[in-house]
Amino acid sequence: MMPRWIIACLMMTMGAAAAQEPPIQASAWRINNIPLDMPLEAEFNGEFLEGIYQEKLADRLIGSVLNEWPSYHIATTLKIGKLTAQDAQEGAELDPVHERMEIYFSSRADGRRAFWIRSRKPMDAPADAAGTAETLAMIEANFGKPTRIVTRRERPGDAIVIVADPAAKARLPDPLVLSDADYLDFWSMDLQDRARILGPDFRGAIVLLIAFQGRLQAMQTELIDLGRAQTVFELTP
């Protein structure tokens, strides 16, 4: 098992190196090639969402459906790797070995832009010091230096990694307070509770690492803009 202090030391080392590099702008953040703010139908930075699905996700796409309640959102199942004939069988999208992605969109008046992209996929990687360092380096390469990392001593290898958009005006609460229940439920937490913890205008990336018996078993990655979410949901108390 990896003590909590090892994660802290790893992040201090990575942070010292990252301090010499400019922050990665949120406009460069992607989950499965899809950026935050991507419109459901309109062009964005020379691309359409439909085109991304057709050109960059087609060889992994098992199923995708657009729902209109409680807000417009797309639920997608992706193969980890290339599709095979077996993936075309009925019920393949329910197999837990696949990646699940959800994209939630803002109001029609706001252009139905993505305010929450959430991906959850199974993993099988070491959750010891070396493995965690590699995972954290990957997160930093994709999203920049973490703003906060939340861990629990009794759950070695687990972590909630938060990267606030460096260009956003809103800042994370300091201190950032999560109860034990908040920590355990964070992966499935609704937007109301996210806003309670992160602040109603938080914009950034969140990566949840879920480990068991020294192995990283799942990773949930999110891009989220709680300010834009308020075009369709009431998030303030």
Side-chain angles (χ1 to χ4, degrees), residues 32-49:
N32 290 318
N33 295 294
I34 300 170
L36 195 60
D37 305 325
M38 185 78 203
L40 177 61
E41 296 180 337
E43 182 181 1
F44 185 70
N45 291 337
E47 292 186 297
F48 289 89
L49 183 60

Side-chain angles (χ1 to χ4, degrees), residues 210-224:
I210 302 166
F212 182 68
Q213 295 184 341
R215 304 291 295 179
L216 179 63
Q217 293 196 331
M219 178 184 293
Q220 182 164 305
T221 307
E222 306 181 20
L223 299 178
I224 189 168

Side-chain angles (χ1 to χ4, degrees), residues 6-180:
I6 293 182
I7 292 182
C9 290
L10 288 170
M11 291 314 304
M12 288 175 64
T13 302
M14 294 169 60
Q20 303 176 9
E21 300 292 334
I24 298 175
Q25 298 303 309
S27 58
W29 293 352
R30 299 286 189 279
I31 292 179
N32 290 318
N33 295 294
I34 300 170
L36 195 60
D37 305 325
M38 185 78 203
L40 177 61
E41 296 180 337
E43 182 181 1
F44 185 70
N45 291 337
E47 292 186 297
F48 289 89
L49 183 60
E50 183 178 4
I52 293 175
Y53 268 82
Q54 292 176 347
E55 298 170 14
K56 299 179 179 180
L57 298 179
D59 60 351
R60 298 179 53 216
L61 183 60
I62 295 174
S64 189
V65 61
L66 173 65
N67 301 290
E68 298 183 8
W69 189 90
S71 69
Y72 274 71
H73 68 280
I74 296 174
T76 299
T77 303
L78 297 166
K79 177 74 175 286
I80 300 177
K82 305 295 184 180
L83 291 173
T84 65
Q86 187 176 2
D87 297 316
Q89 296 180 1
E90 184 177 356
E93 68 277 5
L94 302 178
D95 194 323
V97 302
H98 300 311
E99 178 180 356
R100 302 289 194 276
M101 179 174 68
E102 296 173 304
I103 311 171
Y104 284 81
F105 298 93
S106 62
S107 67
R108 179 178 179 180
D110 189 54
R112 297 214 191 279
R113 294 178 177 271
F115 67 81
W116 193 13
I117 307 173
R118 177 170 59 179
S119 162
R120 184 179 177 90
K121 60 184 177 182
M123 303 287 290
D124 184 15
D128 57 7
T132 298
E134 185 175 342
T135 302
L136 292 173
M138 178 191 67
I139 294 171
E140 186 163 335
N142 286 328
F143 303 118
K145 180 182 177 181
T147 310
R148 298 278 197 285
I149 297 183
V150 185
T151 61
R152 285 292 187 271
R153 185 181 300 276
E154 65 275 14
R155 301 183 67 86
D158 278 19
I160 301 173
V161 183
I162 303 171
V163 185
D165 181 351
K169 294 181 180 180
R171 294 291 179 261
L172 282 171
D174 190 9
L176 183 68
V177 179
L178 275 79
S179 67
D180 288 341

